[in-house]
CSV table of all heavy atoms in Angstrom, one decimal:
chain,number,residue,atom,x,y,z
A,237,PHE,N,68.1,71.2,127.9
A,237,PHE,CA,69.5,71.0,128.2
A,237,PHE,C,70.1,72.3,128.8
A,237,PHE,O,69.6,73.4,128.6
A,237,PHE,CB,70.3,70.8,126.9
A,237,PHE,CG,70.0,71.6,125.7
A,237,PHE,CD1,70.7,72.8,125.6
A,237,PHE,CD2,69.1,71.3,124.8
A,237,PHE,CE1,70.4,73.6,124.4
A,237,PHE,CE2,68.7,72.2,123.7
A,237,PHE,CZ,69.4,73.4,123.5
A,238,GLU,N,71.2,72.2,129.5
A,238,GLU,CA,71.9,73.2,130.2
A,238,GLU,C,72.7,74.1,129.1
A,238,GLU,O,73.2,73.4,128.1
A,238,GLU,CB,72.8,72.9,131.3
A,238,GLU,CG,72.3,72.7,132.6
A,238,GLU,CD,73.3,72.6,133.7
A,238,GLU,OE1,74.2,71.7,133.5
A,238,GLU,OE2,73.2,73.2,134.7
A,239,THR,N,72.9,75.3,129.3
A,239,THR,CA,73.7,76.2,128.5
A,239,THR,C,74.9,76.7,129.3
A,239,THR,O,75.0,76.5,130.5
A,239,THR,CB,73.0,77.3,127.7
A,239,THR,OG1,72.6,78.3,128.6
A,239,THR,CG2,71.8,76.7,127.2
A,240,SER,N,75.7,77.6,128.6
A,240,SER,CA,76.9,78.2,129.4
A,240,SER,C,76.5,79.0,130.5
A,240,SER,O,77.3,79.1,131.5
A,240,SER,CB,77.6,79.1,128.4
A,240,SER,OG,76.8,80.0,127.8
A,241,THR,N,75.3,79.4,130.7
A,241,THR,CA,74.9,80.3,131.8
A,241,THR,C,74.4,79.5,133.0
A,241,THR,O,74.5,80.0,134.1
A,241,THR,CB,73.7,81.2,131.5
A,241,THR,OG1,72.6,80.5,131.1
A,241,THR,CG2,74.1,82.2,130.3
A,242,ARG,N,74.0,78.2,132.8
A,242,ARG,CA,73.6,77.2,133.8
A,242,ARG,C,72.5,77.9,134.6
A,242,ARG,O,72.5,77.7,135.8
A,242,ARG,CB,74.9,76.9,134.7
A,242,ARG,CG,76.1,76.1,133.9
A,242,ARG,CD,77.1,75.8,134.9
A,242,ARG,NE,78.3,75.5,134.2
A,242,ARG,CZ,78.5,74.2,133.7
A,242,ARG,NH1,77.6,73.3,133.9
A,242,ARG,NH2,79.6,73.8,133.1
A,243,GLN,N,71.6,78.5,133.9
A,243,GLN,CA,70.4,79.0,134.6
A,243,GLN,C,69.3,78.3,134.1
A,243,GLN,O,68.6,78.7,133.1
A,243,GLN,CB,70.3,80.5,134.2
A,243,GLN,CG,71.4,81.3,135.0
A,243,GLN,CD,71.3,82.9,134.7
A,243,GLN,OE1,70.2,83.3,134.7
A,243,GLN,NE2,72.4,83.6,134.8
A,244,GLY,N,68.9,77.1,134.7
A,244,GLY,CA,67.8,76.2,134.2
A,244,GLY,C,68.2,75.6,133.0
A,244,GLY,O,69.4,75.5,132.5
A,245,MET,N,67.3,74.9,132.3
A,245,MET,CA,67.5,74.3,131.0
A,245,MET,C,66.6,74.8,129.9
A,245,MET,O,65.4,75.0,130.1
A,245,MET,CB,67.2,72.7,131.2
A,245,MET,CG,68.1,72.0,132.1
A,245,MET,SD,67.7,70.2,132.2
A,245,MET,CE,69.1,69.7,133.2
A,246,VAL,N,67.1,74.9,128.7
A,246,VAL,CA,66.5,75.4,127.6
A,246,VAL,C,65.7,74.3,126.9
A,246,VAL,O,66.3,73.3,126.7
A,246,VAL,CB,67.4,76.2,126.7
A,246,VAL,CG1,66.6,76.6,125.3
A,246,VAL,CG2,68.1,77.3,127.3
A,247,VAL,N,64.6,74.4,126.7
A,247,VAL,CA,63.6,73.4,125.9
A,247,VAL,C,64.2,73.4,124.5
A,247,VAL,O,64.5,74.3,123.8
A,247,VAL,CB,62.2,73.8,125.9
A,247,VAL,CG1,61.4,72.9,125.0
A,247,VAL,CG2,61.6,73.8,127.4
A,248,ASN,N,64.3,72.1,124.0
A,248,ASN,CA,64.8,71.9,122.7
A,248,ASN,C,63.8,72.4,121.6
A,248,ASN,O,62.5,72.6,121.9
A,248,ASN,CB,64.9,70.3,122.4
A,248,ASN,CG,66.0,70.0,121.6
A,248,ASN,OD1,66.5,70.7,120.8
A,248,ASN,ND2,66.5,68.7,121.7
A,249,GLU,N,64.3,72.6,120.4
A,249,GLU,CA,63.5,73.1,119.3
A,249,GLU,C,62.6,71.9,118.7
A,249,GLU,O,62.9,70.7,119.1
A,249,GLU,CB,64.3,73.6,118.1
A,249,GLU,CG,65.2,74.8,118.5
A,249,GLU,CD,64.4,76.0,118.8
A,249,GLU,OE1,63.3,76.3,118.1
A,249,GLU,OE2,64.9,76.8,119.6
A,250,ASP,N,61.6,72.2,118.1
A,250,ASP,CA,60.6,71.1,117.5
A,250,ASP,C,59.9,70.4,118.5
A,250,ASP,O,59.3,69.3,118.2
A,250,ASP,CB,61.3,70.2,116.5
A,250,ASP,CG,61.9,70.9,115.4
A,250,ASP,OD1,61.3,71.9,114.9
A,250,ASP,OD2,63.0,70.5,114.8
A,251,LEU,N,59.8,71.0,119.8
A,251,LEU,CA,59.0,70.3,120.8
A,251,LEU,C,58.0,71.4,121.3
A,251,LEU,O,58.4,72.6,121.4
A,251,LEU,CB,59.8,69.8,122.0
A,251,LEU,CG,60.7,68.6,121.6
A,251,LEU,CD1,61.5,68.4,122.8
A,251,LEU,CD2,60.0,67.4,121.2
A,252,ILE,N,56.8,71.1,121.6
A,252,ILE,CA,55.9,71.9,122.6
A,252,ILE,C,55.8,71.3,123.9
A,252,ILE,O,55.4,70.2,124.1
A,252,ILE,CB,54.4,72.0,121.8
A,252,ILE,CG1,54.6,72.5,120.4
A,252,ILE,CG2,53.6,72.8,122.7
A,252,ILE,CD1,53.3,72.5,119.6
A,253,LEU,N,56.3,72.0,124.8
A,253,LEU,CA,56.4,71.5,126.3
A,253,LEU,C,55.3,72.3,127.0
A,253,LEU,O,55.3,73.5,127.0
A,253,LEU,CB,57.8,71.7,126.8
A,253,LEU,CG,58.0,71.0,128.2
A,253,LEU,CD1,59.4,70.6,128.4
A,253,LEU,CD2,57.7,72.0,129.3
A,254,GLU,N,54.5,71.6,127.7
A,254,GLU,CA,53.5,72.1,128.6
A,254,GLU,C,53.7,71.7,130.0
A,254,GLU,O,54.4,70.6,130.2
A,254,GLU,CB,52.1,71.8,128.3
A,254,GLU,CG,51.6,72.1,126.8
A,254,GLU,CD,50.3,71.2,126.5
A,254,GLU,OE1,50.4,70.1,126.0
A,254,GLU,OE2,49.3,71.9,126.8
Side-chain angles (χ1 to χ4, degrees):
F237 50 87
E238 273 191 313
T239 72
S240 57
T241 62
R242 300 183 190 274
Q243 295 183 25
M245 293 186 176
V246 175
V247 173
N248 213 338
E249 300 293 329
D250 295 327
L251 298 176
I252 300 172
L253 188 144
E254 303 169 272

